[in-house]
Every structure is written in C-alpha cells, then in structure tokens.
Amino acid sequence: LVPLPVGEPAKLDDEFDLYQLGEDNMLQRYTGRVVSASSEGPRLQLRLNTTLPGSGDGQAAVKGGSLVGLITGMGRGQEGTLLSVETIRRYLGDFTDGVYNGPPGPGLWVQPLLRDDLRAYYGLAEGQHGIAITRIMPGRTGDGALRVNDVVLAVDGYDLDDEGKFTHEVHGRLDASYLFQGRRYAGEKARARILRDGRIEEIEFELKP
C-alpha cells in the first residue's frame, strides 16, 4: 500500500470523494462539497454538504488521487466538517526536524470595533479597521510587544476588519485567531501593523507556546 499524497486545499464549491469502511468492512465511497470555511485557533475547518450518512469521523477526503482533508465530524442530516490540508501539513511538518514545537497558544483578549463609539474611543480614523487589545496574558503571545488599548490593523500583511476577520486567499473570511495560531509554529515571529496612541506602528512579536 502506498500512502496518498497530501493535495492542494479544497476551495469553496470544490467536490471530492469521501471514503470510509462500512460495517461489512467494505470500502464505501460518497461525495462532498465545500460550502464554507471557519477557523478556531490553530484548526482550519471546512463545512461540507455530503452524501455520507452521519456515522462518526475520520473519513478521508480525496480529489485527483490526493488527500484534501479528514472528516472531523458529521452534523445534522448530511452536513459535516473537514480538517483542511493546511492544518494537516502544518502538524506533519512540525516533526521533520525531530522537535515538536506545537501551535502557538492563545494569549490575547480582543474587542471588535463595530460600534461608532468604540471606534471613536480607540481613535480610529475613517477607513481604518481592526480589533482592540483589552488584555494580554503574561508570558504568552503578544506580551512585551503589544499593549492594552492597541488596535491591531493587520497581521503578517492580512488586513483585519472591525469584526476581527481577514480575507484568506483560498477560504474567504476567517477569524484573526488563525493568524496568531494557525499559520506558524510556536517560537516563530509575526508582524503586526497597529494603531497606538494615534500613531500607526509596525511591530514584531514571538508566537508563544
């Protein structure tokens, strides 16, 4: 048996095959289609419509002979979630040097800036968008570089909106937590453009485990 190669990320409306072993130990094939994407910390997950009846998780999603994800759960009816290959690649790649670093951990409390009074309080001008830092956990990501009341406008070149979302080049709008936890390993550096005391600054900070 030859392991499947890890393929390219599945995009919105992409269709692929889903494989699982049935109760009779025969390999069964179904189909799935991506309807949306979401991120929760380090995990990038795709929501699916499938022809797969709800029956656990772990099924492989295959397109063009390559793995495009793993089913992590089945919801009501024929809905499911797929762990994207970006997350799978990152976990596998963490072992290549023999040292497991793991994903960066959370450490920031943030405030969306959807209301005009909040935008005025934090000093955002017309056309500026981002999220305000309200608390920083000591010793964790952002400590020593970010400050309470900073407004994060962009991370690693991705502009944030007032809800704390950014536009991913493949998956559309995702939560900014993916930029802090899902794209890099603990110990790596990230760059942010912030609004601090009315001035725009560029800072670099370590992503802590």
Side-chain angles (χ1 to χ4, degrees), residues 27-46:
L27 191 63
Q28 301 173 338
R29 183 178 71 177
Y30 303 88
T31 59
R33 182 176 66 87
V34 179
V35 295
S36 66
S38 64
S39 59
E40 183 178 342
R43 295 164 60 92
L44 177 56
Q45 297 192 121
L46 310 179

Side-chain angles (χ1 to χ4, degrees), residues 3-26:
L4 285 174
V6 178
E8 295 301 313
K11 304 176 183 177
L12 183 67
D13 290 330
D14 273 0
E15 293 188 355
F16 39 77
D17 294 321
L18 299 169
Y19 291 93
Q20 72 168 4
L21 286 175
E23 293 181 357
D24 55 1
N25 285 330
M26 297 294 289

Side-chain angles (χ1 to χ4, degrees), residues 59-82:
Q59 295 88 351
V62 179
K63 181 180 180 181
S66 297
L67 184 76
V68 295
L70 294 172
I71 293 287
T72 56
M74 297 301 298
R76 296 178 180 177
Q78 294 175 317
E79 297 179 351
T81 54
L82 185 79

Side-chain angles (χ1 to χ4, degrees), residues 87-101:
T87 299
I88 294 173
R89 277 203 195 104
R90 186 169 49 79
Y91 277 105
L92 292 176
D94 202 356
F95 289 91
T96 57
D97 61 357
V99 178
Y100 180 69
N101 298 302

